[in-house]
Amino acid sequence: MVMKNRIWAMVAGIAWLLVNSGYVLAGAPNTDFAAVTNIKYAKECGACHLAYQPGLLPERSWRKVMENLHDHFGDNAELPTADQPVLLEYLVNNSAERANYKRSAQMLHSIRKVDTPVRISQVPYFIREHREVANRVRGNEKIKSLGQCELCHQKANEGSYAENEIRVLGAESWND
Amino acid sequence: MKLRFLAVILMGCMTTLAGLAQASVVDTLQQEYKTAGAGPFSAAKGEKMWVEKHKDAESGKEFSCQTCHTDDLKKSGKHEKTGKVIDPLAPSVNKERLTDIKFVNKWFLRNCKQVLGRECTPQEKGDFLEYLKGQ
């Protein structure tokens, strides 16, 4: 009897923890894109900007980005030759096609088959979601481009872009 | 009392070690450049190149090493396009600078192509290091 009570107490405790952490309510980890787990990638591709989650772009886009690192959006991001294939493999294995996350699928399916965008901010789904904010921040010196996700999405480095985590620099609150 | 004494010694050792790592990386690289026929190296020449502006052929914009590293090496810089903060380059305030050969080589490659439109020569790299190590 005592044993049974204890088990019930434990079950209740675990259920309480799960509900509290949002796991049960959301049904899945509370992120939009799989977080970056590769330390080399985080270091190398996070040196000049946020280390973008591989699930943000399809495989063909990452291949194009990685082929042109010497001419990388007006910058030079060349890698030591030994690191190049390692990082490409990580990107390909975790690209939007392979990532089992809702937002990855939305990004992926919004791109026409004939297109290979190299900017996340050129993906149609992204453009749609950011049309309004793009107008609002035009001319804002602090936001140089929409590629600076972390300026508005406070948990961008964890792959989480939920609406209640948005703080747009210079704007009082997003949901006004 | 004894503990604090030990702590001071330990800290002293650590700073010296960091200093040594930096000295040996700069020495090793400069030795490499000398083997390639360069040298002797001049901090004054390094500084002159550091501030020199170059026009980017494509965008017409002017670039120098100061574009991202600012005109004060002891202060944090900012990436010119992405806005990402770059920790100070001066070894006197940032012990991690010039302590990793692969890291220095990688950024010389990128930054020289970015600013000069070509790789730096061994002489130029030696001069840059001579200037930077004293900052």
Side-chain angles (χ1 to χ4, degrees):
Chain A
M1 196 56 206
V2 173
M3 190 62 194
K4 227 182 190 169
N5 272 340
R6 241 187 240 161
I7 292 177
W8 274 116
M10 228 161 79
V11 170
I14 291 173
W16 181 82
L17 275 176
L18 284 178
V19 170
N20 257 283
S21 62
Y23 203 95
V24 167
L25 292 177
N30 190 19
T31 44
D32 297 308
F33 299 94
V36 169
T37 49
N38 183 304
I39 294 171
K40 195 176 203 70
Y41 178 80
K43 191 161 155 254
E44 293 297 342
C45 300
C48 303
H49 48 63
L50 175 79
Y52 299 116
Q53 288 82 31
L56 284 163
L57 288 173
E59 173 178 341
R60 60 183 187 281
S61 296
W62 287 125
R63 287 193 183 280
K64 201 161 159 191
V65 168
M66 294 302 281
E67 270 165 24
N68 294 300
L69 285 177
H70 60 281
D71 184 8
H72 183 72
F73 307 99
D75 206 338
N76 185 303
E78 267 176 66
L79 284 167
T81 29
D83 291 342
Q84 166 95 10
V86 180
L87 295 183
L88 178 61
E89 189 187 324
Y90 171 67
L91 285 166
V92 166
N93 286 343
N94 296 278
S95 61
E97 295 94 327
R98 314 256 160 86
N100 196 10
Y101 280 71
K102 189 173 92 191
R103 302 257 179 246
S104 286
Q106 284 173 306
M107 291 287 271
L108 181 66
H109 295 309
S110 74
I111 304 171
R112 296 191 311 165
K113 291 254 163 18
V114 292
D115 290 337
T116 307
V118 287
R119 277 190 186 270
I120 297 150
S121 51
Q122 280 172 347
V123 172
Y125 170 74
F126 181 99
I127 296 175
R128 231 179 290 135
E129 288 287 328
H130 295 83
R131 193 161 283 143
E132 199 183 332
V133 75
N135 283 328
R136 272 230 217 164
V137 300
R138 196 158 289 136
N140 184 332
E141 272 293 299
K142 293 216 178 81
I143 301 176
K144 294 179 191 230
S145 93
L146 287 182
Q148 294 170 276
C149 324
E150 75 284 4
L151 289 187
C152 303
H153 297 280
Q154 298 184 303
K155 293 199 179 162
N157 64 342
E158 297 168 27
S160 178
Y161 296 85
E163 259 181 78
N164 60 359
E165 295 159 4
I166 300 174
R167 297 276 179 288
V168 179
L169 265 180
E172 288 282 293
S173 113
W174 179 248
N175 291 314
D176 56 0
Chain B
M1 194 54 212
K2 222 176 186 176
L3 256 175
R4 192 185 301 167
F5 180 69
L6 269 176
V8 169
I9 298 216
L10 207 70
M11 297 271 283
C13 286
M14 271 152 61
T15 353
T16 319
L17 273 180
L20 283 178
Q22 183 217 319
S24 81
V25 162
V26 171
D27 285 350
T28 311
L29 282 169
Q30 287 186 328
Q31 200 52 50
E32 214 175 87
Y33 305 148
K34 277 186 190 150
T35 317
F41 301 116
S42 143
K45 275 197 204 140
E47 178 170 15
K48 186 161 164 283
M49 291 191 299
W50 186 261
V51 301
E52 208 165 15
K53 290 199 170 73
H54 302 264
K55 205 173 200 140
D56 181 51
E58 254 173 63
S59 65
K61 264 187 20 194
E62 288 202 319
F63 269 102
S64 76
C65 304
Q66 294 186 324
T67 309
C68 298
H69 296 298
T70 78
D71 55 7
D72 184 352
L73 284 165
K74 296 193 174 67
K75 293 220 177 96
S76 290
K78 229 178 201 181
H79 190 283
E80 162 263 340
K81 279 214 187 77
T82 65
K84 173 143 181 172
V85 172
I86 303 174
D87 291 337
L89 221 52
S92 63
V93 298
N94 186 349
K95 297 282 175 243
E96 283 170 26
R97 289 305 181 196
L98 312 179
T99 54
D100 178 347
I101 290 190
K102 274 169 75 183
F103 194 81
V104 174
N105 280 336
K106 181 175 72 188
W107 287 101
F108 264 149
L109 176 71
R110 291 174 176 170
N111 292 167
C112 287
K113 285 194 177 173
Q114 179 75 19
V115 176
L116 306 170
R118 59 167 173 81
E119 284 191 47
C120 287
T121 63
Q123 181 67 45
E124 288 168 331
K125 289 191 270 194
D127 290 339
F128 274 133
L129 288 180
E130 195 64 26
Y131 166 60
L132 289 174
K133 77 174 189 193
Q135 297 301 303

